[in-house]
Amino acid sequence: MGNSKVGVAVIGTGFGEKVHIPGLQENPNTAVVAVYNRDLAKAKTIASKYNIPHGCTSIEEILALPEVQAVSISTPPFLHYEMASQVLQAGKHLLLEKPTTLTAIEARELYHLANDRGAIANMDFEFRFVPAWMMLSEMLAENYVGNKRLIKIDWLVSSRADATRPWNWYARKDRGGGALGAVASHAFDYISWLFGPIRRLSAKLITTIPDRPDPNTGEMKPVDADDTCMLMLELADGTPCQVCISSVTHQGRGHWVEIYGDRGTLVLGSDNQKDYVHGFRLLAAPAGKNLSEVKIPNRLVFPKNYTDGRIAPFIRVVDSWVKGINLGAAQTPSLKEGVYSQLLMDLTHKSNDTGLWVDIPDLQTFLASK
């Protein structure tokens, strides 16, 4: 594609307006050429606000624009499969928000469709590009902790702790709502990235706030999506991993990953409740020593920080996506990683429903069994 910018259309104007549009406009390799919203006035307003040439109300209109080479999708998860299918069928490159789809079968179909159409499809798993997380990955690769004995993950936030927060699609399991899709989709991706595949899991999904007020009538409506997840994982190498996720914990401790081994300990964490990227620190200790903070080398730090911490790692996600477009080969995290995250979420539901441990199939085997 030479030195020309990739023309990107943005579908989704919630997270899309907060993160995708500014991130794509800040990235020197991309240009936002169109934005979608089903409401024409809103589409035109957002297009005007960010100097985007086209405000559109249909996917067909977006895909017909010759300057649209690629599309980012940040709509609610129940819309991902249909929208992404249209984008890939048109041979456009795709950047997709998590959770990937509503089922692993849908995610697998998108994966094969991208391959068949020669489209480069990436997932926005941005923790892979946060400096402290990148340093953690390097130290694990250097075998800092030795043989792993225990991995413990807590992600305890208060984003939905207020029981008067209004009911919406997030309250519905069938729409992909709940903490599992919003948060565990990230956790499943970074567990596989940092520690390798998972052999089996046991899960308990809990809805602690069973109803919320309708935003229009005030009438209480039932909630069936989880707000708390308890997970036990056994990794392929035998390491036990305990995961506790909740979006309803007042003064929750934030997001922490602890790795204990026979040679040492690594602890990554942030207690920032208002921004899930800003604030991460990495602590390390050889066996028998006290934890001390690890200095993140300049080669890993963001060249620029933003008020919204999600923008800087998103720009790096876009870098990876554009690299794949230029090379003609998807870069990690691709739809392949999106399929694996979705497969683990599906099997979490299965374990919760049956009360049993569930074996995790090999990803390549699952991808080949279409």
Side-chain angles (χ1 to χ4, degrees):
M1 304 190 71
N3 294 319
S4 62
K5 293 186 177 184
V6 177
V8 183
V10 174
I11 296 177
T13 50
F15 190 78
E17 183 177 3
K18 292 175 182 176
V19 176
H20 283 223
I21 289 175
L24 289 162
Q25 290 186 326
E26 283 280 289
N27 192 295
N29 303 304
T30 51
V32 181
V33 296
V35 62
Y36 162 91
N37 189 283
R38 60 186 178 182
D39 179 86
L40 180 60
K42 188 167 184 179
K44 295 294 186 184
T45 297
I46 293 173
S48 175
K49 180 179 178 180
Y50 296 98
N51 296 312
I52 299 169
H54 302 280
C56 305
T57 59
S58 75
I59 308 296
E60 292 78 10
E61 185 182 359
I62 287 274
L63 297 176
L65 294 169
E67 58 266 54
V68 173
Q69 299 161 287
V71 177
S72 76
I73 296 178
S74 58
T75 54
F78 63 90
L79 298 172
H80 285 186
Y81 176 72
E82 181 180 351
M83 289 180 166
S85 295
Q86 289 181 263
V87 169
L88 294 173
Q89 285 281 6
K92 307 293 186 180
H93 306 299
L94 172 69
L95 180 57
L96 185 60
E97 271 302 327
K98 53 79 211 160
T100 315
T101 48
L102 292 181
T103 70
I105 291 174
E106 288 182 345
R108 183 174 62 190
E109 289 179 8
L110 293 182
Y111 169 82
H112 289 297
L113 183 57
N115 288 342
D116 292 344
R117 292 294 189 273
I120 302 302
N122 274 51
M123 296 295 302
D124 183 26
F125 287 132
E126 63 258 50
F127 285 109
R128 291 172 178 258
F129 301 94
V130 176
W133 289 77
M134 297 169 76
M135 189 65 192
L136 172 64
S137 174
E138 291 187 5
M139 294 181 73
L140 286 169
E142 294 165 359
N143 203 31
Y144 182 90
V145 302
N147 294 320
K148 295 184 294 293
R149 293 174 173 173
L150 174 67
I151 299 164
K152 188 175 188 301
I153 297 169
D154 284 336
W155 198 341
L156 308 177
V157 298
S158 58
S159 56
R160 303 188 71 80
D162 182 356
T164 66
R165 181 169 177 172
W167 186 97
N168 63 4
W169 69 265
Y170 191 99
R172 292 177 55 175
K173 177 181 175 182
D174 66 342
R175 291 292 180 106
L180 182 70
V183 176
S185 55
H186 273 304
F188 283 141
D189 178 67
Y190 70 64
I191 289 169
S192 62
W193 164 48
L194 295 170
F195 310 118
I198 297 168
R199 179 183 297 160
R200 61 184 190 139
L201 64 77
S202 174
K204 180 66 176 177
L205 301 177
I206 305 154
T207 305
T208 65
I209 300 177
D211 45 45
R212 290 182 181 272
D214 184 286
N216 298 314
T217 67
E219 177 187 357
M220 299 305 288
K221 299 186 70 172
V223 174
D224 67 355
D226 60 280
D227 53 42
T228 300
C229 313
M230 308 289 289
L231 296 158
M232 289 190 293
L233 313 175
E234 181 184 318
L235 304 187
D237 65 6
T239 305
C241 178
Q242 179 190 59
V243 183
C244 182
I245 293 171
S246 181
S247 61
V248 292
T249 49
H250 291 295
Q251 286 75 48
R253 69 187 295 241
H255 190 181
W256 293 85
V257 180
E258 304 168 17
I259 307 107
Y260 301 96
D262 63 352
R263 290 177 50 187
T265 297
L266 289 168
V267 176
L268 173 77
S270 170
D271 58 7
N272 189 332
Q273 291 278 334
K274 299 189 180 300
D275 189 309
Y276 66 74
V277 171
H278 281 319
F280 277 105
R281 298 181 298 136
L282 178 61
L283 308 172
K289 303 294 184 180
N290 293 328
L291 288 167
S292 60
E293 188 163 352
V294 176
K295 179 176 173 55
I296 308 301
N298 289 335
R299 61 184 171 81
L300 297 181
V301 300
F302 294 126
K304 179 180 178 181
N305 281 300
Y306 301 83
T307 302
D308 188 323
R310 300 169 296 186
I311 294 175
F314 177 76
I315 291 171
R316 289 180 169 178
V317 171
V318 174
D319 283 336
S320 176
W321 185 37
V322 171
K323 179 181 178 181
I325 292 171
N326 288 331
L327 292 175
Q331 307 295 297
T332 303
S334 68
L335 259 182
K336 182 178 179 180
E337 285 70 39
V339 172
Y340 193 59
S341 174
Q342 190 66 53
L343 176 62
L344 291 166
M345 286 192 289
D346 285 11
L347 295 177
T348 294
H349 281 294
K350 181 178 179 181
S351 175
N352 178 71
D353 293 343
T354 62
L356 301 173
W357 282 85
V358 174
D359 292 333
I360 312 300
D362 172 74
L363 177 58
Q364 288 303 130
T365 302
F366 179 76
L367 288 172
S369 61
K370 63 173 181 174

